[in-house]
Amino acid sequence: MILHGDITIPYKWTTGPAIGRFLAELRDNARIVGARCAECNKVFVPPTDVCGQCFKPLDAWVELTGEGEIIAASAVHYQLPWSPLPPPYTLALVRLDGADTELIHLAQEGLKTGDRVRAKFKEERSGTILDIDKFVPLADATVEREATTTQPLKEVRGQVSLPYRWSYGKALSRFFQESRDNKRLMGTRCPRCLSVTVPAARICTRCFVEATEWVEVSDHGVLETFTTVHLPFPGQPTEPPYTYGLILLDGASTYFSHLIEEPVESLRCGMRVQAVWSDERKGDLFDILHFKKEES
């Protein structure tokens, strides 16, 4: 069995003076600016705070026309989590007029090395490099409106999606198949120490020998300890606050961790609990919705 999932991670980063102004100019004025080094006279686009060759601060700003030449181009056909567009799309290295570095960005399909292009800006801009919609042939572009005074953008926020695939392995595959198809919990018994591991594991974590005997355990047990989670974090499957407990299931030798759906004020270590099964089971830990106080 293969577990498919996706973790969305929020982020924020401080732009610094150079990129802060660069992004603000894109957003507010639909124009591209670079920074010139007073030592080597090179113009960097996107701008940096320090010249990478002379190690001198860059504080001379240069406004560019947004026109330039394609130095290289490549068609992208493979989808990645951070792809700016659904493929296929074209990425190009553009040497803007007046710049000494290349800017990599989206370009209109069909453009090739040596073509003259101009930046086409989006109507609604938010202060990212994608405020430039793409580079288009020079004849197809129009000049944007007159620029106004702008304040640097100090911080950028966003989120990145990380899809993953994880193989259960033989032992966990059977464990989750049994929970999905038969609403029963299976463990593996160690032939040496006779401990029963739940969820099932191929190797005993105490003796490090292979456990080949399968044992069905109860979905009732004892709540050994618990904690309430209040803080959110990336990949969190449940919105806080929620309570997680370590449960010693009847017939098991290891703790089974899961959600406890009871008011935290009524919980106590040593109380009896039972599993509440989902009607729609997929073969994961949430085949059990949560544990509740055992019915007498």
Side-chain angles (χ1 to χ4, degrees):
M1 294 179 65
I2 303 293
L3 176 66
H4 297 262
D6 193 298
I7 298 176
T8 300
I9 301 177
Y11 67 85
K12 61 180 180 178
W13 58 275
T14 302
T15 60
I19 292 297
R21 177 168 177 180
F22 175 78
L23 294 177
E25 292 284 359
L26 295 180
R27 179 192 63 192
D28 300 338
N29 299 318
R31 69 175 178 180
I32 301 173
V33 297
R36 175 179 282 117
C37 174
E39 187 77 16
C40 65
N41 208 39
K42 289 187 175 181
V43 176
F44 293 84
V45 181
T48 57
D49 295 315
V50 176
C51 175
Q53 296 185 13
C54 306
F55 303 105
K56 301 290 185 181
L58 302 180
D59 52 12
W61 289 93
V62 178
E63 180 182 347
L64 305 175
T65 63
E67 299 178 7
E69 179 182 329
I70 290 185
I71 304 300
S74 178
V76 179
H77 297 275
Y78 187 71
Q79 177 74 45
L80 294 170
W82 46 84
S83 295
L85 293 173
Y89 57 88
T90 299
L91 284 177
L93 280 177
V94 180
R95 174 71 67 88
L96 294 167
D97 297 345
D100 295 289
T101 58
E102 286 78 37
L103 177 68
I104 185 170
H105 209 283
L106 297 165
Q108 183 172 302
E109 187 177 355
L111 290 172
K112 61 185 183 303
T113 301
D115 286 346
R116 294 285 298 170
V117 292
R118 182 182 179 88
K120 178 184 177 182
F121 286 86
K122 294 178 178 177
E123 289 295 327
E124 296 184 3
R125 300 182 294 274
S126 58
T128 75
I129 190 63
L130 293 178
D131 287 346
I132 302 174
D133 184 40
K134 58 186 172 182
F135 281 86
V136 298
L138 193 59
D140 297 344
T142 57
V143 179
E144 302 294 335
R145 64 180 182 274
E146 184 178 349
T148 59
T149 303
T150 188
Q151 294 296 321
L153 187 66
K154 296 182 178 180
E155 185 179 83
V156 172
R157 294 172 179 261
Q159 60 183 26
V160 61
S161 177
L162 298 177
Y164 64 86
R165 295 191 308 165
W166 179 68
S167 173
Y168 283 122
K170 291 183 178 180
L172 280 180
S173 289
R174 178 172 175 182
F175 174 83
F176 285 116
Q177 286 169 351
E178 290 283 359
S179 70
R180 179 192 63 196
D181 300 337
N182 303 313
K183 283 205 313 187
R184 64 178 184 174
L185 298 174
M186 302 295 294
T188 47
R189 191 194 310 276
C190 173
R192 179 178 296 174
C193 68
L194 301 182
S195 64
V196 176
T197 300
V198 181
R202 188 176 67 87
I203 303 296
C204 174
T205 56
R206 297 178 181 178
C207 306
F208 303 104
V209 298
E210 186 172 6
T212 57
E213 181 186 356
W214 286 87
V215 178
E216 181 180 355
V217 301
S218 173
D219 61 359
H220 290 235
V222 176
L223 179 63
E224 295 289 323
T225 187
F226 59 90
T227 185
T228 301
V229 179
H230 294 276
L231 296 177
F233 57 83
Q236 198 168 23
T238 306
E239 184 177 351
Y242 56 88
T243 300
Y244 233 74
L246 289 181
I247 303 156
L248 187 61
L249 296 169
D250 297 344
S253 307
T254 58
Y255 296 125
F256 187 76
S257 58
H258 215 291
L259 294 167
I260 308 296
E261 194 69 16
E262 292 284 348
V264 67
E265 299 82 10
S266 68
L267 296 179
R268 57 180 178 81
C269 295
M271 69 181 293
R272 298 281 302 175
V273 292
Q274 67 183 65
V276 177
W277 291 86
S278 172
D279 292 331
E280 298 181 1
R281 297 182 298 279
K282 301 177 181 179
D284 58 30
L285 278 176
F286 293 98
D287 287 349
I288 296 176
L289 296 174
H290 52 260
F291 280 78
K292 68 175 185 178
K293 185 177 181 180
E294 187 178 64
E295 298 174 355
S296 56

